[in-house]
Amino acid sequence: MKETVILDRKFREMIPGEIIGKKIDEMAEKLNHDYAGKDVVFLGILNGAFLFAAELFKRINLKARISFVKLASYEGTKSSGSVKELIGWNEDISGMHVVVLEDIVDTGHTLELIIGELKVRKVADIRIATLLFKPKAYTKTIPLDYIGFEIPNDFVVGFGLDYDGYGRNLPSVYTLVK
Ligand code: IMP
Ligand code: MG
């Protein structure tokens, strides 16, 4: 069992990098098939999705672009706490086929916000590709079109995902040892 320590926590390897690579091969193959002949924009959600997006995108043989947006928190004017906003839109994606790339879908709040923003931008259609999915944590009904791995409702790091900013460089996905 491969284990690693990040800051004050111990993590155990859950999905080895080679298995992730094979899964991304399969996902890319499906996308290449499903979007054949179409103009596609991949939209990676920073920071976590950068590695998955890069690995997936280099396996795509479509006429495709890639862009990244980031979710930023700021304090709202009301006492209700922090509000989240998507920043980094720098291209016109109206009329395009968009594939949102996520590292993980947990509650689905992030995804809901992104989908809302995309609808305003009048894209042709939207599909979601996520490396990891926690079905037990999901509170939304938005369908996920391409899922790498369904995982238990436990905290994970690696392959882009972080614990307090660290662990994104791990080539495998690790789960918290409780
Ligand atoms: P959601 O909005 O709850 O679906 O999740 C939003 C974000 O929380 C994800 O994009 C990740 O950045 C982060 N996140 C959720 N679960 C984990 C985890 O297990 N490890 C690290 N980050 C996570
Ligand atoms: Mg994320």
Side-chain angles (χ1 to χ4, degrees):
M1 271 288 152
K2 274 196 212 169
E3 289 192 338
T4 187
V5 172
I6 303 171
L7 301 175
D8 56 341
R9 296 295 166 96
K10 202 197 280 182
F11 293 86
R12 182 179 304 122
E13 190 180 52
M14 185 173 75
I15 313 171
E18 312 84 73
I19 306 290
I20 299 173
K22 288 199 185 110
K23 187 64 82 174
I24 298 176
D25 285 343
E26 288 171 24
M27 209 186 274
E29 206 173 302
K30 276 192 206 130
L31 287 160
N32 286 330
H33 172 265
D34 294 354
Y35 285 91
K38 288 183 177 153
D39 225 340
V40 188
V41 177
F42 289 89
L43 190 68
I45 312 303
L46 294 174
N47 292 325
F50 78 99
L51 205 58
F52 169 53
E55 287 297 320
L56 182 75
F57 196 59
K58 70 186 188 190
R59 292 164 167 86
I60 294 296
N61 56 27
L62 304 163
K63 184 185 174 207
R65 294 189 283 152
I66 188 163
S67 190
F68 292 88
V69 292
K70 187 177 172 107
L71 206 59
S73 294
Y74 62 92
E75 292 307 310
T77 50
K78 294 196 181 114
S79 57
S80 55
S82 81
V83 180
K84 286 194 165 175
E85 174 194 37
L86 272 172
I87 57 168
W89 297 99
N90 54 8
E91 36 195 309
D92 184 13
I93 56 169
S94 58
M96 298 289 296
H97 301 280
V98 179
V99 181
V100 174
L101 303 179
E102 264 286 23
D103 51 348
I104 187 164
V105 175
D106 187 19
T107 63
H109 291 317
T110 309
L111 192 63
E112 191 175 62
L113 203 142
I114 293 158
I115 300 297
E117 290 278 335
L118 286 170
K119 286 194 171 147
V120 175
R121 286 174 168 80
K122 305 212 185 320
V123 297
D125 58 62
I126 309 162
R127 284 190 193 168
I128 322 294
T130 186
L131 180 64
L132 305 173
F133 176 45
K134 291 181 180 172
K136 291 218 166 70
Y138 197 52
T139 61
K140 310 294 174 188
T141 54
I142 302 161
L144 306 180
D145 306 279
Y146 305 90
I147 298 170
F149 303 91
E150 292 197 357
I151 62 168
N153 197 6
D154 297 320
F155 190 77
V156 293
V157 293
F159 215 89
L161 291 109
D162 73 301
Y163 168 48
D164 231 358
Y166 293 93
R168 295 194 196 275
N169 49 327
L170 291 167
S172 303
V173 169
Y174 286 71
T175 188
L176 181 65
V177 177
K178 287 175 219 167

